[in-house]
Structure formats: C-alpha cells, structure tokens
Amino acid sequence: MWVLKVTKMNSSRKYFGTDGIRGNVGKFPITADFVLKLGWAIGKVLAAESEAKVLIGKDTRISGYMIESALQAGLSAAGANIYLTGPMPTAAISYLTRTLRAHIGIVISASHNPYDDNGIKFFSHEGLKLSDKLELEIEHWIEQPIETARSEALGKAWRVDDAAGRYIEFCKSSVPHSVYLKNLKIVLDCANGATYHIAPHVFSELGADVINTNTSPNGININQNCGSNNPTIIQQRVLEEKADVGIAFDGDGDRVVMIDHQGEILDGDEIIYVILKGLLATHHFTGGVVGTTMSNLGLEVALKKLGVPFCRVPVGDQHVIRGMIDRDWQLGGESSGHIIYRHATTTGDGIIAALQVLQAMQMSGKNLHVLKSEMKKFPQRLINISYAGERVALDKTDIVNAINDSEKQLGKYGRVLLRYSGTEPVLRVMVEGEDEVTVEKVAETLSQTVSQFI
C-alpha cells in the first residue's frame, strides 16, 4: 500500500515560491514597481562582490520587455552590472551563467503557463537554483527602502550578442561527434517560445531533416494550443509528414515530450527510460534514477528489471536535482518532461534530453516506438482542481477518509497522491493502479469528494 505524500508549503518565504517568483502580469508581485525593487535587492545581496555580474534571459512573452527593464533599473541602482541575452531557454541561462562567470543568472519566464502569466527564476554561479539562505537574504532587502548608488558606482549593461550561438554549440556537444542524424525526419514544436531560434539549428546542424512548427512568436502566442502541454497538433503532423519523431518543448524549453512515428506520445517517464537504455548500451551509466511522487509505477518496475536503483522525491525539478546531487546520480526527471542529465547540464533541458533519445535510436538501430514499448506504463489519471483563496490542509479527516477508501478500491498496487501545484492555483489529484476502468472511476469519485472541501 502506498502512503499519501503531501507537499508542505514553505511559510518562511514571503515572495519566493517553489521556482522563483511567479504570477499574473500586472498583479502583485509581477508588477513593474515590485520587480524594480527585486532587482535592487539582488544587487544589494551582491554588493560585496567585486564587479557584480548578473545575466538576464527571457522567453518570448510580451511582458518580458517590462520585467527585463525593471530588473535592469533596479540592479543598476544597486551597482550591479547586467548582461542581457534576449530570448533564451531556461537551461541556456543556467549554462551561460556558469561559462560567463556571472554571480547570478535570471530567467524571465512562466514556463508552460499562458502569456499573461510571467515569472522570475534564478540560478547561482554554479547553474543551480538559489539556496534558501540566499532567497531569504533577497527578501530581507526587498523590505528595505531603495538607496541608489553613487553615480560613478551605478551598474552598466551589455548585450551578449553570441548567446544563441554559444548555446547551440553546447547542445550539439552533449552527444558524441559520431551522432549524425542524416536519416531522421523530425517535426519540431517550439511552442512559440524560447527555443524558436535555437532548436531548429541544433537538430538541422546535426544532419536531421527538420520540419519546424510554432517558431513565430508574437508575444502572446507562447504555449497557445501548442508545445509540450498541447501535443495534439504535432502528433497529427508527424503522421502527415511520415516523420520518424516529433519533439515538443514548452515555452522556456525546460520540458519536452516526444512523439514516435506512429503518433504515440512519450512523456517524461518514457523518455527517461529510453535515455537510460541508451546509456546502459554504451556503458556510460552508473548509479540510479531519481523520479518524483508522480513518476509512473511502470518506470519503477522497468528499472527494477534492469537492476537500476530508483528513488522518488517531491515534485519539482529542484528536488530532483538535489536528489541526484546527494546520491551522485546522473539521470532524473519528472513525468511532465523535465529531464536532467547531469553529465551534460545542471538543470532540466528539453533539447539535450531529446538529443539523448535520438542518440539511443541511432546507436540501437531501433525506432522510438520499439524503444519505449519495453516499458509498460500503469494506468494513471491526473485531475486538476482549481481553487481560490487559502489552501485547505490535506490532512482533514474527510479528505484522509476519502483517500483511504480510494486506496482500498485500487488494491495492492494502487496509489493516490494529492498535492498543490507550486506554479498554479490548482490541487492535483493523481490515481494510479493496475486496472484502467477502476483508476478512472476512483479518480473521478475522489476528485468530486475533495472538491467539496477546497
């Protein structure tokens, strides 16, 4: 029997959530005045650094212009220097923060959310998420009145003109020189987001025949009926073009889902499995795999057959990365398509994950449908319940009783997970078991019951 695991809210932070600061544009905290103050607070935290250097990238949302300008003003007022990349995937900022020796990297993005949301994510000089201590220090300075540095001490700003070229070459270098995709036809869906001018070059320069879709951002069409959260259109396109594979990213490129030549979708769990099989075949894998509480039980069972250890951590790529670092493991990710391959990068990177899958296909001589068919997924149903106001505690007696009843119906291998999203005002209800009909019935009943209390 599986034990219910609830992600607890972190009450020690006032502004930072599970992945930076995020919200609806024009509503606190995603307002010009708050972002100005945030930039200044970051600059004050870096005040002790000589020639403090902050790298800023963004996705293609129209609000990125406003947020970028406000951050830049605040940072300059505090005396920090700013390096601007323009639209770039989140993973690119993690990489460039390291290689350009910046003290902090900032990504202006709300990932897979619609265009009228936006957010601000941060990377340390190591390309990792900021520590709790540093986030709390930034929050301390947000509460202080702004004091502008002396004129001669104000920060300056530069454009990183070769940012895209640097990252394209980095992505290509993540696979061996022998990987040549000449015989592959690929349909790309860039979600009108940050990968629109990166991913087409990466795959075409490696030799693939690339058909590009959703590579014309206009500021408001990011993630709109496209990308990794909406792969229906690219599924059809793969079949129409008789392509070997489809690859769909989200707005900032840290998520990926893939489509095989039969039009079937591979989620993050299946992508991890295919990557692992490729690494095992080349003897480039040691340790185990880190998944989350949402990872399909089929992945765990398949890894056990291969003799590969598996560990579950709370949902969130920061938890996955920490779990990998603590164990010195190289592969981990989430069902949603956040895949981290630590041998190449320090954060979720959709392009690099896709390249690892293509490498596994080339080296095995098998198509993607065959490779993923070796992992049998358990039926799983995820229902999102929207809420307004304060979050209701999930240990209420009525909710716990409903969960216990659900688990009894699911049997030995059934499990139920309730958790609040860290990025949206929704409660996620996940039900998994051996029988699809039972899973569907239990998920609907449990969701209806829980909805009454939240």
Side-chain angles (χ1 to χ4, degrees), residues 149-154 156:
R150 301 185 314 276
S151 293
E152 67 272 18
L154 293 173
K156 301 176 183 178

PDB file of all heavy atoms in Angstrom, residues 149-154 156:
ATOM      1  N   ALA A 149      22.913  53.881  -5.629  1.00  0.00           N
ATOM      2  CA  ALA A 149      24.377  54.003  -5.514  1.00  0.00           C
ATOM      3  C   ALA A 149      24.841  55.338  -6.097  1.00  0.00           C
ATOM      4  O   ALA A 149      24.134  55.992  -6.884  1.00  0.00           O
ATOM      5  CB  ALA A 149      25.046  52.850  -6.251  1.00  0.00           C
ATOM      6  N   ARG A 150      26.036  55.758  -5.711  1.00  0.00           N
ATOM      7  CA  ARG A 150      26.621  56.975  -6.282  1.00  0.00           C
ATOM      8  C   ARG A 150      26.710  56.832  -7.801  1.00  0.00           C
ATOM      9  O   ARG A 150      26.860  55.728  -8.317  1.00  0.00           O
ATOM     10  CB  ARG A 150      28.023  57.211  -5.713  1.00  0.00           C
ATOM     11  CG  ARG A 150      28.068  57.359  -4.201  1.00  0.00           C
ATOM     12  CD  ARG A 150      29.485  57.715  -3.741  1.00  0.00           C
ATOM     13  NE  ARG A 150      30.498  56.888  -4.364  1.00  0.00           N
ATOM     14  CZ  ARG A 150      30.851  55.692  -3.926  1.00  0.00           C
ATOM     15  NH1 ARG A 150      30.250  55.170  -2.868  1.00  0.00           N
ATOM     16  NH2 ARG A 150      31.795  54.997  -4.543  1.00  0.00           N
ATOM     17  N   SER A 151      26.657  57.935  -8.504  1.00  0.00           N
ATOM     18  CA  SER A 151      26.620  57.896  -9.974  1.00  0.00           C
ATOM     19  C   SER A 151      27.766  57.080 -10.553  1.00  0.00           C
ATOM     20  O   SER A 151      27.583  56.292 -11.490  1.00  0.00           O
ATOM     21  CB  SER A 151      26.658  59.324 -10.542  1.00  0.00           C
ATOM     22  OG  SER A 151      25.461  59.997 -10.210  1.00  0.00           O
ATOM     23  N   GLU A 152      28.964  57.265 -10.005  1.00  0.00           N
ATOM     24  CA  GLU A 152      30.117  56.543 -10.547  1.00  0.00           C
ATOM     25  C   GLU A 152      30.088  55.054 -10.215  1.00  0.00           C
ATOM     26  O   GLU A 152      30.826  54.260 -10.804  1.00  0.00           O
ATOM     27  CB  GLU A 152      31.425  57.161 -10.033  1.00  0.00           C
ATOM     28  CG  GLU A 152      31.670  57.008  -8.534  1.00  0.00           C
ATOM     29  CD  GLU A 152      31.058  58.142  -7.715  1.00  0.00           C
ATOM     30  OE1 GLU A 152      30.173  58.845  -8.244  1.00  0.00           O
ATOM     31  OE2 GLU A 152      31.475  58.329  -6.558  1.00  0.00           O
ATOM     32  N   ALA A 153      29.203  54.670  -9.285  1.00  0.00           N
ATOM     33  CA  ALA A 153      29.124  53.261  -8.874  1.00  0.00           C
ATOM     34  C   ALA A 153      27.922  52.530  -9.478  1.00  0.00           C
ATOM     35  O   ALA A 153      27.719  51.349  -9.208  1.00  0.00           O
ATOM     36  CB  ALA A 153      29.068  53.170  -7.343  1.00  0.00           C
ATOM     37  N   LEU A 154      27.120  53.216 -10.291  1.00  0.00           N
ATOM     38  CA  LEU A 154      25.953  52.576 -10.896  1.00  0.00           C
ATOM     39  C   LEU A 154      26.380  51.442 -11.830  1.00  0.00           C
ATOM     40  O   LEU A 154      27.441  51.494 -12.446  1.00  0.00           O
ATOM     41  CB  LEU A 154      25.135  53.597 -11.684  1.00  0.00           C
ATOM     42  CG  LEU A 154      24.435  54.687 -10.860  1.00  0.00           C
ATOM     43  CD1 LEU A 154      23.818  55.726 -11.781  1.00  0.00           C
ATOM     44  CD2 LEU A 154      23.377  54.086  -9.938  1.00  0.00           C
ATOM     45  N   LYS A 156      26.371  48.958 -15.131  1.00  0.00           N
ATOM     46  CA  LYS A 156      26.270  49.128 -16.581  1.00  0.00           C
ATOM     47  C   LYS A 156      25.595  47.896 -17.185  1.00  0.00           C
ATOM     48  O   LYS A 156      25.454  46.862 -16.533  1.00  0.00           O
ATOM     49  CB  LYS A 156      27.658  49.321 -17.185  1.00  0.00           C
ATOM     50  CG  LYS A 156      28.412  50.528 -16.638  1.00  0.00           C
ATOM     51  CD  LYS A 156      29.823  50.580 -17.216  1.00  0.00           C
ATOM     52  CE  LYS A 156      30.619  51.743 -16.624  1.00  0.00           C
ATOM     53  NZ  LYS A 156      32.011  51.768 -17.149  1.00  0.00           N
TER      54      LYS A 156
END
